[in-house]
Amino acid sequence: MAAFDWFWRAMGASGGRDRRRGRATVGKAGERARDIEALDDAAVVTAARDSLRERGGETVVADEPTFLAALGVAAGRTVGLRPFPVQAQAVLRLVAGDVIQMATGEGKTLVGAMAATGFALTGKRVHVITVNDYLAGRDAEWMRPLVEFFGLTVGSVGEDATAEERRAAYACDIVYGPVNEIGFDLLRDRQVTDRAEEVQAAPDVALVDEADSVLVDEALVPLVLAGAAPGTAPAGRITEVVRRLRAERDYTVDADGRTAFLTDEGAGRVERALGIDSLYDDEHVGSTLVQVNLALHAEALLHRDVDYIVRDGKIRLVDASRGRVADLQRWPDGIQAAVEAKEGLDVTEGGRILDTMTIQALMGRYPMVCGMTGTAVEATDQLRQFYGLGVSVIPRNRELTRFDEADRIYATAAEKNRAIVEEIALLHGEGRPVLVGTHDVAESEQLAEVLRERGIEVNVLNAKNDAEEAGIIAEAGDLGRVTVSTQMAGRGTDIRLGGADEGDHDAVVDRGGLAVLGTSRHKTARLDNQLRGRAGRQGDPGLTLFFVALDDEVVAAGGAGEKVVAHPGEDGRIGEKRVREFVEHCQRVTEGQLLEIHAQTWRYNKLLSDQREIIDGRRDRLLDTDQAWRELAERAPERAAELADLDEDTLVAAAREIMLYHLDDAWAEHLALMDDVRESIHLRAIARETPLDEYHRIAVREFKDLAQRAVDEAVTTFREVTVDAEGAHLADGGLVRPSATWTYMVSDNPLSSHGSVIGSIGNIFR
Ligand code: ADP
Ligand code: MG
């Protein structure tokens, strides 16, 4: 078939048995499609079903050409898209469980929906995981006709969904949802005392869009479920003692400003003031030392009007990367309370963490994970190391004609920033659309201000409103358009040349297509490439260009004080190859550091996530059987006899509620304790083992007691609490589950830059 010629060429260049086989299959699928096209809808569905098998819990495509042809024909009939051969190829790799690399604009939404449909046709429940609410809703509605064609159901969840809506969505064969909502729902489900309250049905497959962003960049972001409970503020006395400590003499702050350490002198001062022998004695490590550390953190690391503001008697956090007050964020438990104590405010009730889970741990719960992204190759190591996932590179539908210019390197940021503004003005003068990727909100707004002063109209995007931003970014390829964006704003939206309607397509092509500028290199080449990918979709012309200054964060951090000798020209520009190589080297160093931070943090998280799985197993048994009742009746037979008049269902439910209450309570306590241990571990460890070993030792020891303690406490409650036809009156004994819970993500992510603050720091582009 002539139409496939370019495809053979694209595929032929790179060998590999899978590739050649895939190529042959896709070719056959093209032929098979002619037969399938002649069938009515019902027969197409049957053909698709018959091409699939379920083997050992896995979806196996037994007849690949028929499967691809049937799905392709269905896609044509329903959403009006006939999959390109490369898309067909990608579908097979997804069903096989890989992360596929497929460039921006190649049609991953359709690919994902086809693969999800394949899984669902073999009875699997699929979560298609997106990066935000807007994309979940958009993709579910867009692909709905395709999924429903096969008699399958599709739904989506978003922040505003009610429990009822969530339950309905999760009951579907295919559910689109943002990763945090799916995680929060799981956290809430792990608190129920009755199966009917759960919203999620157990999923089989996670199909992750923007897989590197979710699986690597966001992997360690903790999702937190918190409930009202008394605060854990450092006692007023401790706050006072810590307030009198002096930097350098009594404590030091590490280079990246994330941790404060007491010096020996500082520890001595605190011990004398509190009248105790040693903060590091076992009796103080779990309590006093933790409170001292919290107070020190609040005192030394969190600054009023930079990290937070005080408004209406409350602490309001300032989001560093957005530079504005963040509504839904708190610091981890004790820190929030410590800052309130420091400011002399009422310590808020609340902030008891009930449960928490990283996105990486969330992914670990799916029997199967696969994914798609424009930049998977650079994440190969992480995907293999943390998820056991392989990467398949899918060739482009049309050859890339984009031009990636070499970095423009400057001696100083001031010279670089001037050059950025000049370049934008130049490109804009030609009527060429320009998309600028900046690092944070402050930078994007300063750049926009300077451009506006030069009479250039600018759209600024900074991840505030995903739906609105999608509309703006869709127009970013229009004639003369200048769009300034922070890293991931508007992601997932297609940028067509000449505007969303492609009205000025040819005029933009004549001018060389979309120009994408980066104001500095990111901490990883992968993020650079994500930005580059915005230009050159589907064979479009385009340009990408990064600006670098030798005092950029990546260069400074990766160079670690190394100085490179350069000979800048009059405008500060440096042309030397050696310097270019040095910049690359610095980025590779920061990439290595990030990988190490990831591996290290995961080592801390993994044990708790394994322990949580054990708790879940126990919860499942308590929820689904009468085990709670049997255990309690065995341990307190006299009490069981007293209650013998009540009917069995009531007793089973009451026992279940008592048992689960104490199990969940013990787990929350375990989390709080381990959090404290982690805060103070570096202090303890100085004299002893490595921090990680010490942490593990304590976690294992504490966990051993947890189950037993939960049962013991449940027995006590069972003996004391009123149980009648209405069930167990736990509230009478003060044993109340929080009436309100809230969820948040902890934003302190090693991958995000710390930089910007509110207030005036001048405009760096001037
Ligand atoms: P990606 O997620 O890979 O960046 P999208 O799924 O957003 O890409 O699709 C980009 C654009 O390509 C969409 O406008 C979509 O309609 C179009 N597209 C996808 N597949 C096809 C196809 N087979 N034929 C024509 N257009 C397609
Ligand atoms: Mg996409």
Side-chain angles (χ1 to χ4, degrees), residues 50-63:
D50 292 349
S51 69
L52 295 165
R53 302 272 175 282
E54 224 253 19
R55 201 176 297 147
E58 287 188 11
T59 300
V60 178
V61 185
D63 178 352

Side-chain angles (χ1 to χ4, degrees), residues 24-226:
T25 300
V26 172
K28 278 192 213 131
E31 290 159 27
R32 187 71 45 85
R34 271 182 297 239
D35 308 333
I36 304 255
E37 194 67 85
L39 303 176
D40 65 11
D41 289 0
V44 175
V45 173
T46 308
R49 271 190 196 286
D50 292 349
S51 69
L52 295 165
R53 302 272 175 282
E54 224 253 19
R55 201 176 297 147
E58 287 188 11
T59 300
V60 178
V61 185
D63 178 352
E64 291 175 341
T66 302
F67 170 70
L68 294 175
L71 275 151
V73 167
R77 288 189 193 170
T78 53
V79 293
L81 298 173
R82 287 303 299 265
F84 302 123
V86 285
Q87 287 178 303
Q89 165 105 25
V91 171
L92 291 181
R93 297 316 306 156
L94 274 182
V95 176
D98 276 352
V99 172
I100 55 161
Q101 167 160 308
M102 225 180 156
T104 309
E106 293 284 308
K108 288 186 287 293
T109 315
L110 175 61
V111 166
M114 288 169 68
T117 302
F119 287 121
L121 281 170
T122 55
K124 304 252 174 282
R125 180 169 285 114
V126 186
H127 287 179
V128 182
I129 295 178
T130 63
V131 291
N132 62 43
D133 278 27
Y134 162 75
L135 291 172
R138 181 198 75 175
D139 292 354
E141 289 322 307
W142 184 7
M143 293 296 141
R144 174 179 297 285
L146 173 65
V147 177
E148 291 181 346
F149 178 91
F150 290 94
L152 301 165
T153 52
V154 58
S156 66
V157 289
E159 199 184 345
D160 297 333
T162 63
E164 213 32 67
E165 287 162 348
R166 286 169 198 271
R167 205 167 286 128
Y170 284 116
C172 294
D173 298 301
I174 300 173
V175 195
Y176 285 79
V179 65
N180 53 337
E181 284 306 317
I182 289 178
F184 291 148
D185 283 331
L186 179 61
L187 288 174
R188 283 185 288 253
D189 276 357
R190 299 203 309 204
Q191 299 284 320
V192 302
T193 53
D194 181 347
R195 281 283 186 214
E197 294 164 27
E198 284 182 343
V199 300
Q200 284 191 355
D204 302 295
V205 181
L207 195 163
V208 188
D209 194 10
E210 311 280 358
D212 59 328
S213 159
V214 173
L215 299 179
V216 177
D217 298 337
E218 308 261 274
L220 298 174
V221 173
L223 304 171
V224 179
L225 177 72

Side-chain angles (χ1 to χ4, degrees), residues 280 680-692 694-695:
Y280 304 102
S680 58
I681 197 95
H682 50 274
L683 297 166
R684 272 166 73 95
I686 291 165
R688 302 203 212 153
E689 310 154 57
T690 69
L692 184 65
E694 174 84 350
Y695 179 84

Side-chain angles (χ1 to χ4, degrees), residues 405 408 419-436 454 456 478-482 511-518 542-545 547:
E405 206 182 303
R408 291 200 194 157
I420 291 170
V421 173
E422 290 311 320
E423 185 68 21
I424 294 170
L426 187 74
L427 291 163
H428 177 69
E430 298 164 3
R432 195 165 179 180
V434 184
L435 174 67
V436 189
R454 295 191 49 155
I456 299 172
D478 202 1
L479 208 57
R481 200 66 70 126
V482 177
R511 287 162 175 77
L514 177 66
V516 168
L517 307 189
L543 164 75
T544 72
L545 167 58
F547 289 82

